Amino acid sequence: MSVLRLSVLSRIFREQYVSGNGPCLLCRRGPARGCLLGNVYRWTSSARPKDKAAAFTNCKIELLEVLEHRVQQLQAEETASMLEHRSSAATVQMKGKEKAEKKKPVETPKRWMEKLKNEQVKMHQRKERLNGKTVKTVSHPDETSQQAPVPKPPKPPKTPSKKSKKTLEHKNNIQVPIVAPTEVEDPHVSKLLLEDKDGNRYGGVQMSILCYLETCIFLGDLDRAQQCLNYYHQNHSRRTMLTTAMYNLLMRAWAKKSSLHHIGQIFVMLEEADVKPNVGSYVATLECMGRKDSTKSTIEKCLMRMEASGISKEQLFKDFPYEGDEQYMVLKAIRTVHKDFQPPPPTKVVCMSPLVQEFYRKEPHPQYPKLDFTVSDLRDRFDRQLETESCDTVTIASVEAVQPVTDDKKEARALLDTLRSQWEKSLLLAFRDSKKHLEAISRKIRKINLYPYLCLLDDEQYVQIMMQSLTRIPPTGESFLLMSRELGNKIFNRISIRRKLQGRYMEKMQEIYTEYCQLLAKDGQVSGLLPREMWEQLEADRCRSQHLINLETSWPNALLVQVGTYLVDLIVQEIKLPSNLLSPRSESKLIPVLYHMYSFRSTRQIGLIKPHPIFSQILSEAGETQLTFESYIMPMQCPPVPWTSPRFGAYLLSPAKLMRCVEGAIQHQLLLEKSPPGQLNPVLDSLNQLGICAWRINQPLLDIIVSIFNDKGNEKLDIPPPLSEAPQMPLHVSLNINSWDKMSYQRDLAKCRKKTSEMYSLRMDSLYKLSIANHLRDKIFWFPHNMDFRGRTYPCPPYFNHLGGDVMRALLLFAEGRPLGPKGLDWLKIHLINLTGLKKKNSIKERKEYAESIMEDILDSAERPLTGKKWWMEADEPWQALACCMEIANALRSPDPSQYISHFPVHQDGSCNGLQHYAALGRDEIGAKSVNLMPCDTPQDVYSGVAQQVEEFRKRDARRGVKIAQVLDGFIGRKLVKQTVMTVVYGVTRYGGRLQIEKRLREMESFPQDFIWDASHYLVKQVFSSLKEMFSGTREIQLWLTESARMISKAGYTVEWKTPLGLPIIQPYHRSKHTMFSSNLQIVNLQSSHDANERPDTLKQKNAFPPNFIHSLDSTHMMLTALHCYSHGLTFVSVHDCFWTHADSVDIMNKVCREQFVALHSQPILQNLSTFLLQKYCQDSETKLSDCLRMSLHFSKVPETGDFDLEQVKESTYFFS
C-alpha cells in the first residue's frame, strides 16, 4: 500500500507542478517551521537560496525526486521484507529477547532525505539478517563482542567566530576512527586461507592494525605504535586479533633505538598472549643486543632461550628478510658468544617439475638472446626510468588537433589557472586545519585513527593529488566510491615510492642493476644465466646483509576507501567558484565546483560526484593539451627488474603485484609466499622473458591513425568520434501529450545520454592510448608483466600495451630487427591473409598464393592508405592488415627481401585453444580432429563443423514438421554459432548461449523477428547437443570438474589446485560481505565477494572451476613455450593463446609450441589433480566424515580417456597457424 500511495502522490504532485499551481500546502508551511526542503537534499556545501521564489522551486523539484526515489526503494524493499517476515517468524521465540534488548526508540527524522537514508540502512540490515549474519553499520577492530554506535564528533564551541564557523562545521563531521570490518569466523570456513607460512593471520582487522603500526613506525612515532599495541593487548577479546608479526614489528623498531627494555616488555606480552616467539622475535632481540653492546652473559641467555624454543642460530639466516645493517648487528651479537660463527651458505634451489628439469639442466648450453644495446646505454636508460618514477607523475602532450589559440581560449586558460591557484591555497589551508584537529583528537585515543595516514606525505603532495583528480572527473560524474578508492590508491603508491627513496634501497638497487646490464647488453661480459639467476647472484654477492624485497603491507580496501573519502570530502567542501563567471550580469555567489548527488542503478542507490556545468564549460573552452598520468601507467624506459619472488620485481620504485587480483583479496599473495623455494621459478622466469622484449612505435601508422582521430574519427575502423558527433537530444515534448508519448520521449532521452556517455568514455580511452604512443614515438620501451590468479599473463601498464585492440597491436613493433631470411616474406604474406579472415578454410599454401594474386591491392594499400582502393579497410583486423601491407611493400622495395631487417611481429593463433586442451586431456580423437590436433591438408574449422551438425538436426526436425526448424532454413551458419562454441568451454550456460545466439539473429535483417525467441531456444539446444556428440570426452571432464568444485565448496572450502608448473591457484569466490561506514557526504557500503572469512559461493565456485582450470593449462603451455623459445634465442611474446615472434623464426616457434603442448599433456594432469584434491580436502580432521567419503569416491573416479596419440600434434600444421 505504501508503494501505491506514494506512486499516486508522486503523480499528483508532478501534475500539479507541471500545471504551475505553486508549492503544495506542506511546502508552503515549510519555511514558517524553518524546515526548507530545498536545503535538505545533500548537495554538500552548496549555498542556501536567499529568496523564497528560488526556495519554492527547489522545494518542488527535490520533494518530487524524494517521492519518486522512495517509490523505487519501497518496490525493492517489498521482497526483502516478505522474506524477512517469513524467516523471522520461525525464530521469533529464540530471538525475541535479543530483539527486545536491541530495540531502541527511533527519532522522527526532521528531513525527508535523512529518513530515506536511514531506511536504506535498515533495508540493508534486513537483507544481511536473511543471510544469518549481523553487519554493524560502523564497527571498530576492537569491538567484536559488542555493538557500538558511530562515535559522535566533538561538539563545536558555543560561540564560534564567523571566520572559523565553516571550518568548525567541517571539522566536527570528521570520521576519526578507521573502520575495520568486524570478523565473525565461520567454523565451516578453512582458517588457513588467510595465514602466512609463520601462522600470522591476515584478516581485515589484522591488516588494519598492521598497516597502522607500520605507518606509525615509518613516521618515527614509536610511542603511538606502542600505545596502539598495548590497547589491543590489554583486553582479552581484543588480544585475539594480534599476531606474532605485530609484536615483532614493534620489537624491530625498538631494536633500532637500542631499547632492550621495550623489547623485554613485548616478550612479556607474548607470554601473556600465549603466543610463541619466532625467528623474527629473536632477530630483533639479538639486533638490539648488537647495537647496545650487551654483555656476553645476556646474549648467551637469549641464545639458550632461543634454542630451547627449537630455533637454531643457522635458522636466523635462512630466507629472513633483513633490512639495512640488521644482519650485521645480529652477527655481531652472536659472535660475542661464538667468535667463529659463520652464516650458512645459501642453498641451491632446484625446481622439481618434470616439465622444466631439462630446461634448467642447460644442456646443451643455452643461447639466451642479448639486447641490441650497450651496457652504458642500458645504464643511462635506468637513470631516466628512476627519475621518472621518483617524480610520481608524467605529463605528456595530447594528440588532439592543435587548434589556433583564440582570445577566448587564452581567457579560459588564464581563468582556469587563476581558479586552480586559489583552489590549491584553499585546499592546503583546509587540509592543514583539519589535520590539526585530527591530531588533537588522536592524542586522546589509542585506537586506530586516520591521522598518521595524513602525515606520510607532504601536505602539498596531498593537495596535488586532489587537484589532479579534479581534472579527470567526466562531465557525467564519477562514482563516489570509485573516486575515493582511486585517491586512496594514489596515496598508497606514492608512499611506497617514498619509502624506497629513503635509506639505502636505491643505492643497492643502482649497484645491482649496473652489473645486471652485463647480462642483457650486447657488449656484456656475462652469458648463460637467466635474468632471475643473475639478479639473485648479484644480490647474494653485493647485498649479503640486506634484501631488496618489499616488506610493507598492502592497505586493505576499507583503508584505501576511507583515506580517499576524507580527501573527496575536502574537495567537495572547499573548492568553489563564482556563479557569475559565464554571466557577469547575474548575482555573484560562491558555489561548489563538485556536487554530491544520488543516482539509481537498477534498485541500488549510489553516490555520484558531478562537476558543475560552469566548470565543465570552462574546461572545454580552455582546450588544454596536457595529460598527466601516474608513472606506473607508462611503459618502462629500461628493462624491468626481474621477478625473483612474489614481493620483488617489475618497476624500480612503483609497487607491483606478481599476481593481480580483486581489490582487497590477499589469499593469492599468501598462497604464493607459502610455496616451497624454487617452486615458482619457472613462472617467474617466463614472466621475465615476456617483460624483457623491447618495443618501438610504428610511426607512419601512428600518423595516419592520429589524423583520422582528429578528423571526426571512424567507428568502422575503431577510431571513436568526438562528442560533437554524438546524437542530438530529442526536442522537449509539450506538456499536453499523453503518458505513452512521455515514456517514449524519456526512453529516447535515456538512449541519447547513454550513447553520449559511451562515446565520451571510448574517446578518452583512445586519447590516452594514442597520446602515450605519440609520446613514445621516438623511444624504445618495455612492458613489465604479471599474471592473474589463473596464471594468465598481462602487461602491467594498463592503457597502452599489446593486449589492446586492433589499433594498439598495429602500432607496436619489435625494437630488435632481424633479417627476413628465406621464408620470412612468405610468413608475412600468410600473416596478412590471416588478418583479413578471408581464407580461413584454405591451406597455408593457398593463402600465400592468394596474397601474391592480390599484390597490387596490397601495395596500393601501403602507398595510398586513405586515397587508394582501401582494400585493407575490409579486413577483420584492418589496422594490423595495413601495417602488414606496409611491411611487405618495404621488403619488396629492398634490393634483397631476404636481407631486409624486419621489426614486424608475426602471429600464430591457437585453433579454439580451450577445446584443444579438453580434447588432449580426454584423448578424444573426434574432438582432436575438429580442433586441428591431428594433421590435415586443410584446417578443420570447429565452428563450421558445429554449424553443419546443427543444420543436420534442423533438416531432420523440419521433415518432422517442427515449425521453428522450417523457419530457420538458410539462416544457420558459422557466424551464428561461433561465439557460443567458443565460450562453452569457458563455462557459458544455456541461458548465456541463448542470449548470444539471439544477438546474432537480431543482426540478420532478413530473419523474421517474431521468431527470435523460439529460434534462439531451439538453436542453443542443438548447439549443446552437437558439442556433446563431437566432444564426448570434453563433456565428461567438464562435469567431473564441476561436481568436484560443488562438493568442495559445500564442505566449506574454496577450490584450490596447482598447475603442472607448480603455480598454486585458489578461486576467490565467496559470499558477499558488506562493510559500512559514514563520511561527510554519505554512508559508504563496501561490498566484497572475495573475503576468505566468508563461506564459499558454491554456484560461482562450481561454474568457474572448469574454465579456470583450462585457463591455467593454456597459461602453462604459453610459459613453457616462452622459456624454450628464450633458450633458442628467439624474441617471443604472447596474447594468451596467440604467440608472436619475428617472421624468420616462426618455424622454430611453431616447433617449440607443439613440443611443449605434447610435453604438457603427456603428464597425468587429471590424475595429479585427483591426488591433490584427495590430499587437500579428504584428510582434514575438521571435514565431516560423510563429506570426506563422498569427495573421496568422486575424486577417485577420474574420467576415462580415449586413444588419441598426442605425438600427432607435432605434425599438425594448423594446431597453431
Side-chain angles (χ1 to χ4, degrees):
M1 289 300 291
S2 299
V3 178
L4 182 59
R5 288 171 183 165
L6 279 176
S7 299
V8 174
L9 179 59
S10 173
R11 186 173 68 251
I12 293 172
F13 186 76
R14 181 175 286 281
E15 290 173 357
Q16 185 182 20
Y17 172 63
V18 169
S19 62
N21 293 331
C24 64
L25 181 61
L26 178 63
C27 298
R28 292 191 191 107
R29 294 176 181 172
R33 296 198 308 264
C35 180
L36 190 63
L37 288 175
N39 297 332
V40 172
Y41 197 89
R42 230 176 144 179
W43 296 99
T44 67
S45 57
S46 56
R48 301 291 194 256
K50 294 182 179 179
D51 54 72
K52 292 185 178 181
F56 288 154
T57 302
N58 287 339
C59 175
K60 291 183 290 186
I61 295 173
E62 294 176 3
L63 177 58
L64 178 58
E65 289 177 346
V66 170
L67 290 172
E68 291 178 339
H69 287 180
R70 180 66 176 142
V71 170
Q72 295 181 40
Q73 184 185 357
L74 285 173
Q75 288 172 342
E77 281 183 351
E78 280 193 349
T79 304
S81 299
M82 291 172 64
L83 289 172
E84 184 186 9
H85 178 70
R86 292 172 187 171
S87 62
S88 61
T91 59
V92 67
Q93 293 180 351
M94 296 173 61
K95 298 186 179 179
K97 188 175 180 179
E98 291 181 18
K99 289 184 179 179
E101 291 176 356
K102 294 181 181 179
K103 191 174 181 182
K104 296 181 180 180
V106 180
E107 270 191 22
T108 304
K110 297 179 181 179
R111 298 178 176 88
W112 284 87
M113 287 308 296
E114 287 180 356
K115 183 176 180 180
L116 182 63
K117 183 191 297 184
N118 291 337
E119 293 189 2
Q120 279 186 302
V121 175
K122 292 176 184 177
M123 180 183 72
H124 171 75
Q125 290 173 333
R126 283 203 300 270
K127 289 181 179 179
E128 291 299 329
R129 284 198 296 271
L130 289 176
N131 294 330
K133 51 191 174 186
T134 303
V135 172
K136 302 177 184 180
T137 304
V138 178
S139 58
H140 303 293
D142 53 282
E143 294 163 348
T144 54
S145 59
Q146 57 181 359
Q147 284 193 342
V150 182
K152 296 182 179 179
K155 295 181 180 180
K158 294 182 179 179
T159 57
S161 63
K162 293 182 179 179
K163 184 177 180 181
S164 62
K165 187 174 180 180
K166 290 184 179 179
T167 305
L168 286 171
E169 181 182 354
H170 173 66
K171 284 181 185 177
N172 293 330
N173 288 327
I174 291 173
Q175 182 71 21
V176 178
I178 289 293
V179 177
T182 301
E183 295 179 5
V184 180
E185 291 187 353
D186 190 332
H188 301 289
V189 178
S190 174
K191 299 181 177 62
L192 298 178
L193 292 181
L194 295 180
E195 287 186 3
D196 64 10
K197 58 186 178 182
D198 295 325
N200 295 300
R201 187 160 177 76
Y202 284 83
V205 177
Q206 287 80 11
M207 293 279 286
S208 297
I209 299 173
L210 204 55
C211 289
Y212 186 80
L213 295 177
E214 286 181 0
T215 300
C216 294
I217 292 170
F218 177 73
L219 294 172
D221 195 349
L222 269 64
D223 291 333
R224 185 188 296 272
Q226 187 68 56
Q227 287 173 6
C228 179
L229 186 69
N230 293 343
Y231 173 77
Y232 287 98
H233 177 82
Q234 289 166 0
N235 181 284
H236 286 283
S237 62
R238 296 193 293 258
R239 187 182 298 170
T240 58
M241 303 173 195
L242 300 179
T243 63
T244 312
M246 299 173 194
Y247 294 102
N248 290 350
L249 192 62
L250 261 296
M251 282 198 280
R252 292 180 75 172
W254 286 119
K256 302 292 185 296
K257 303 287 186 180
S258 303
S259 180
L260 197 58
H261 171 69
H262 283 96
I263 292 178
Q265 288 181 335
I266 296 177
F267 258 91
V268 173
M269 294 168 69
L270 283 170
E271 291 180 1
E272 292 175 352
D274 197 23
V275 175
K276 186 178 179 181
N278 60 13
V279 171
S281 310
Y282 289 104
V283 163
T285 307
L286 290 169
E287 178 197 347
C288 184
M289 291 177 176
R291 294 184 190 278
K292 194 176 177 63
D293 293 325
S294 297
T295 62
K296 181 178 179 180
S297 60
T298 304
I299 299 174
E300 196 167 12
K301 289 179 182 177
C302 176
L303 292 175
M304 289 175 62
R305 180 173 178 178
M306 180 182 74
E307 291 175 357
S309 300
I311 300 173
S312 65
K313 296 184 293 295
E314 288 73 21
Q315 285 179 263
L316 302 179
F317 302 94
K318 288 184 178 180
D319 300 322
F320 186 82
Y322 286 99
E323 293 181 321
D325 62 347
E326 289 177 345
Q327 183 170 324
Y328 171 77
M329 290 300 172
V330 173
L331 274 172
K332 179 183 174 183
I334 294 176
R335 285 172 179 167
T336 303
V337 179
H338 306 280
K339 294 183 179 180
D340 299 327
F341 176 79
Q342 293 294 333
T347 56
K348 187 176 180 181
V349 177
V350 179
C351 181
M352 302 305 295
S353 173
L355 288 169
V356 290
Q357 284 182 354
E358 183 180 346
F359 173 79
Y360 286 111
R361 193 177 296 125
K362 300 185 178 181
E363 295 176 1
H365 191 73
Q367 301 174 355
Y368 299 142
K370 294 273 190 177
L371 299 179
D372 192 20
F373 302 98
T374 63
V375 171
S376 61
D377 188 15
L378 289 179
R379 290 173 181 171
D380 291 341
R381 292 175 178 277
F382 169 83
D383 291 337
R384 291 200 293 271
Q385 178 65 24
L386 181 59
E387 182 181 0
T388 299
E389 292 191 42
S390 301
C391 295
D392 300 322
T393 60
V394 179
T395 300
I396 64 176
S398 167
V399 294
E400 283 191 308
V402 180
Q403 300 174 352
V405 181
T406 62
D407 292 338
D408 291 341
K409 188 168 290 188
K410 287 181 181 178
E411 186 179 346
R413 290 181 180 177
L415 176 60
L416 203 54
D417 290 340
T418 303
L419 289 172
R420 282 174 176 162
S421 177
Q422 295 172 359
W423 294 339
E424 286 179 5
K425 293 177 183 177
S426 176
L427 274 178
L428 186 59
L429 289 174
F431 181 78
R432 286 175 175 170
D433 191 39
S434 62
K435 201 166 83 167
K436 286 179 183 177
H437 182 70
L438 279 177
E439 182 184 13
I441 297 175
S442 66
R443 287 199 199 103
K444 303 174 184 178
I445 59 176
R446 297 185 297 165
K447 298 183 293 186
I448 295 176
N449 59 84
L450 193 61
Y451 174 71
Y453 297 101
L454 304 179
C455 302
L456 288 165
L457 301 173
D458 297 334
D459 294 347
E460 291 79 6
Q461 288 182 285
Y462 287 99
V463 172
Q464 181 189 18
I465 292 172
M466 288 188 274
M467 290 299 298
Q468 288 172 2
S469 68
L470 181 65
T471 310
R472 299 288 290 271
I473 299 177
T476 53
E478 179 69 274
S479 163
F480 175 74
L481 183 58
L482 291 178
M483 186 176 176
S484 300
R485 185 182 289 120
E486 183 181 353
L487 279 172
N489 271 316
K490 287 182 178 180
I491 298 295
F492 174 73
N493 289 337
R494 297 204 183 182
I495 290 167
S496 298
I497 293 173
R498 181 184 172 186
R499 284 178 173 172
K500 292 176 183 175
L501 288 174
Q502 295 185 0
R504 300 188 61 198
Y505 178 89
M506 278 318 305
E507 178 186 336
K508 294 293 184 183
M509 170 69 78
Q510 193 162 10
E511 183 181 349
I512 294 177
Y513 198 96
T514 299
E515 293 300 320
Y516 174 64
C517 295
Q518 294 285 346
L519 175 69
L520 304 181
K522 60 184 178 183
D523 61 343
Q525 302 302 311
V526 182
S527 62
L529 291 175
L530 293 165
R532 174 191 52 80
E533 294 171 337
M534 178 69 173
W535 192 278
E536 288 175 343
Q537 182 176 309
L538 289 171
E539 192 171 351
D541 293 341
R542 299 181 180 272
C543 300
R544 185 181 298 273
S545 61
Q546 178 180 4
H547 290 263
L548 298 179
I549 294 175
N550 177 23
L551 298 177
E552 65 180 338
T553 305
S554 296
W555 287 4
N557 193 34
L559 174 56
L560 291 172
V561 172
Q562 279 198 292
V563 173
T565 54
Y566 177 83
L567 300 181
V568 174
D569 286 349
L570 273 180
I571 297 172
V572 174
Q573 295 281 355
E574 299 299 330
I575 298 184
K576 298 182 180 178
L577 50 73
S579 61
N580 63 341
L581 278 179
L582 301 181
S583 52
R585 295 183 179 179
S586 61
E587 179 186 359
S588 176
K589 59 181 179 181
L590 289 178
I591 58 174
V593 173
L594 300 180
Y595 286 87
H596 178 264
M597 59 187 298
Y598 290 97
S599 176
F600 278 92
R601 301 287 165 84
S602 183
T603 58
R604 295 184 60 192
Q605 189 183 44
I606 65 166
L608 286 178
I609 301 296
K610 193 170 183 179
H612 195 283
I614 294 177
F615 175 64
S616 298
Q617 187 172 343
I618 294 173
L619 270 180
S620 177
E621 291 176 356
E624 293 182 303
T625 58
Q626 300 290 316
L627 297 172
T628 300
F629 299 103
E630 298 291 302
S631 58
Y632 70 87
I633 297 291
M634 305 294 290
M636 293 184 68
Q637 301 174 60
C638 68
V641 175
W643 287 104
T644 59
S645 77
R647 283 185 174 268
F648 184 80
Y651 296 102
L652 306 181
L653 297 175
S654 301
K657 291 182 178 180
L658 174 64
M659 184 173 280
R660 55 175 67 188
C661 54
V662 185
E663 198 70 56
I666 62 169
Q667 53 266 46
H668 308 291
Q669 182 71 20
L670 293 173
L671 201 60
L672 290 173
E673 293 177 8
K674 291 179 187 177
S675 300
Q679 180 176 302
L680 297 179
N681 284 354
V683 175
L684 301 177
D685 290 333
S686 61
L687 289 172
N688 295 335
Q689 188 278 324
L690 296 173
I692 212 170
C693 175
W695 299 87
R696 59 188 284 191
I697 296 295
N698 189 334
Q699 295 186 29
L701 198 69
L702 175 63
D703 293 334
I704 296 171
I705 294 173
V706 170
S707 67
I708 296 176
F709 180 82
N710 285 323
D711 186 24
K712 297 185 178 181
N714 188 319
E715 289 190 272
K716 181 183 176 183
L717 296 176
D718 201 23
I719 308 294
L723 283 182
S724 59
E725 302 300 306
Q728 296 296 319
M729 294 291 180
L731 296 175
H732 189 70
V733 295
S734 126
L735 299 177
N736 298 322
I737 63 174
N738 58 39
S739 299
W740 180 261
D741 290 336
K742 284 183 182 177
M743 288 178 59
S744 178
Y745 167 75
Q746 293 289 346
R747 188 164 50 248
D748 293 342
L749 187 63
K751 286 181 180 178
C752 284
R753 287 175 175 166
K754 182 182 178 184
K755 179 66 175 176
T756 302
S757 178
E758 290 173 351
M759 287 179 64
Y760 176 82
S761 298
L762 292 171
R763 180 75 176 182
M764 294 306 294
D765 182 63
S766 289
L767 175 65
Y768 294 161
K769 292 175 178 177
L770 293 177
S771 298
I772 293 173
N774 190 56
H775 177 72
L776 299 169
R777 63 184 302 132
D778 299 317
K779 301 177 182 177
I780 306 298
F781 51 91
W782 286 261
F783 296 125
H785 279 62
N786 61 5
M787 58 186 170
D788 65 12
F789 75 91
R790 303 163 300 184
R792 287 199 134 190
T793 58
Y794 299 85
C796 294
Y799 291 131
F800 181 70
N801 57 61
H802 60 287
L803 258 70
D806 177 44
V807 176
M808 293 303 105
R809 296 186 189 188
L811 287 174
L812 287 166
L813 299 171
F814 291 136
E816 179 191 0
R818 296 178 61 143
L820 283 178
K823 292 186 177 180
L825 183 59
D826 290 344
W827 275 115
L828 285 176
K829 295 174 183 177
I830 295 166
H831 177 56
L832 173 61
I833 302 306
N834 289 345
L835 291 169
T836 64
L838 296 174
K839 298 291 179 180
K840 293 183 178 180
K841 297 181 181 180
N842 295 75
S843 66
I844 294 290
K845 182 180 178 182
E846 291 170 338
R847 296 179 201 179
K848 175 192 163 189
E849 292 172 351
Y850 177 72
E852 292 170 348
S853 69
I854 58 168
M855 190 57 65
E856 182 181 345
D857 292 335
I858 294 173
L859 297 177
D860 175 76
S861 297
E863 293 167 5
R864 300 181 300 161
L866 300 180
T867 58
K869 299 178 183 178
K870 304 178 183 178
W871 170 83
W872 62 276
M873 291 188 181
E874 303 303 319
D876 286 354
E877 309 284 353
W879 289 110
Q880 293 178 78
L882 176 58
C884 195
C885 289
M886 292 178 171
E887 188 73 2
I888 292 172
N890 291 336
L892 292 176
R893 292 193 198 104
S894 65
D896 182 3
S898 65
Q899 297 302 313
Y900 171 74
I901 304 300
S902 174
H903 298 262
F904 196 82
V906 174
H907 310 171
Q908 295 288 278
D909 204 348
S911 176
C912 199
N913 193 239
L915 283 174
Q916 287 180 329
H917 284 285
Y918 266 125
L921 282 173
R923 303 294 196 272
D924 184 354
E925 286 194 1
I926 298 176
K929 185 175 181 180
S930 301
V931 291
N932 294 299
L933 295 187
M934 296 176 67
C936 293
D937 295 333
T938 56
Q940 300 297 304
D941 184 14
V942 64
Y943 310 118
S944 298
V946 172
Q948 291 172 5
Q949 185 81 5
V950 172
E951 175 63 13
E952 293 297 324
F953 292 155
R954 187 206 63 80
K955 289 179 179 178
R956 180 195 63 194
D957 292 340
R959 289 193 294 269
R960 294 176 180 173
V962 178
K963 176 66 175 176
I964 193 62
Q966 296 170 349
V967 172
L968 282 166
D969 186 16
F971 290 101
I972 296 176
R974 180 182 189 273
K975 185 178 180 181
L976 183 64
V977 302
K978 178 180 177 179
Q979 187 180 11
T980 306
V981 174
M982 185 188 303
T983 54
V984 73
V985 67
Y986 297 124
V988 73
T989 61
R990 291 190 181 234
Y991 174 78
R994 190 200 68 76
L995 294 177
Q996 293 169 345
I997 292 174
E998 178 183 328
K999 185 178 180 181
R1000 298 285 86 80
L1001 290 171
R1002 291 190 184 279
E1003 293 172 357
M1004 300 179 182
E1005 296 180 358
S1006 57
F1007 187 80
Q1009 300 297 300
D1010 295 342
F1011 290 94
I1012 283 181
W1013 177 266
D1014 294 335
S1016 59
H1017 269 281
Y1018 174 81
L1019 286 173
V1020 74
K1021 179 181 177 182
Q1022 304 307 326
V1023 168
F1024 273 72
S1025 299
S1026 175
L1027 285 171
K1028 190 174 180 180
E1029 287 191 11
M1030 294 176 65
F1031 297 90
S1032 56
T1034 296
R1035 190 60 182 161
E1036 290 180 14
I1037 296 171
Q1038 213 170 16
L1039 291 173
W1040 183 75
L1041 293 173
T1042 301
E1043 182 61 16
S1044 298
R1046 189 194 68 80
M1047 288 183 170
I1048 292 168
S1049 56
K1050 281 290 186 182
Y1053 298 95
T1054 49
V1055 179
E1056 185 180 335
W1057 71 98
K1058 287 183 181 178
T1059 70
L1061 274 183
L1063 178 67
I1065 295 176
I1066 187 170
Q1067 296 192 147
Y1069 311 121
H1070 295 264
R1071 294 182 182 177
S1072 294
K1073 176 180 180 179
H1074 296 265
T1075 304
M1076 301 180 70
F1077 62 88
S1078 60
S1079 70
N1080 282 349
L1081 300 179
Q1082 68 174 63
I1083 291 179
V1084 179
N1085 181 6
L1086 292 179
Q1087 182 176 352
S1088 170
S1089 59
H1090 51 266
D1091 190 331
N1093 286 314
E1094 300 297 310
R1095 285 183 66 84
D1097 186 323
T1098 302
L1099 184 62
K1100 288 184 178 179
Q1101 289 281 346
K1102 74 183 186 66
N1103 287 342
F1105 185 31
N1108 286 341
F1109 183 73
I1110 294 300
H1111 279 312
S1112 71
L1113 291 182
D1114 71 45
S1115 73
T1116 301
H1117 175 225
M1118 185 281 298
M1119 290 178 177
L1120 288 169
T1121 304
L1123 292 174
H1124 286 272
C1125 283
Y1126 190 65
S1127 67
H1128 283 77
L1130 271 61
T1131 299
F1132 173 90
V1133 293
S1134 79
V1135 181
H1136 303 318
D1137 60 346
C1138 180
F1139 299 165
W1140 298 15
T1141 191
H1142 285 95
D1144 75 311
S1145 55
V1146 173
D1147 290 317
I1148 301 175
M1149 184 188 73
N1150 277 336
K1151 181 174 180 292
V1152 171
C1153 168
R1154 286 154 176 77
E1155 289 174 348
Q1156 296 312 308
F1157 185 86
V1158 173
L1160 170 63
H1161 283 282
S1162 295
Q1163 301 296 312
I1165 295 175
L1166 292 179
Q1167 287 77 8
N1168 289 345
L1169 176 63
S1170 171
T1171 303
F1172 178 87
L1173 296 179
L1174 286 167
Q1175 293 175 351
K1176 180 75 179 177
Y1177 301 108
C1178 298
Q1179 296 182 7
D1180 193 334
S1181 58
E1182 295 183 3
T1183 308
K1184 291 181 181 179
L1185 181 60
S1186 56
D1187 290 340
C1188 276
L1189 290 174
R1190 279 195 293 267
M1191 289 192 291
S1192 297
L1193 288 172
H1194 179 74
F1195 296 160
S1196 302
K1197 293 180 181 178
V1198 179
E1200 296 182 0
T1201 57
D1203 300 323
F1204 172 64
D1205 182 9
L1206 277 174
E1207 291 295 322
Q1208 295 185 64
V1209 174
K1210 296 180 179 179
E1211 308 300 324
S1212 175
T1213 303
Y1214 303 103
F1215 166 63
F1216 266 63
S1217 64

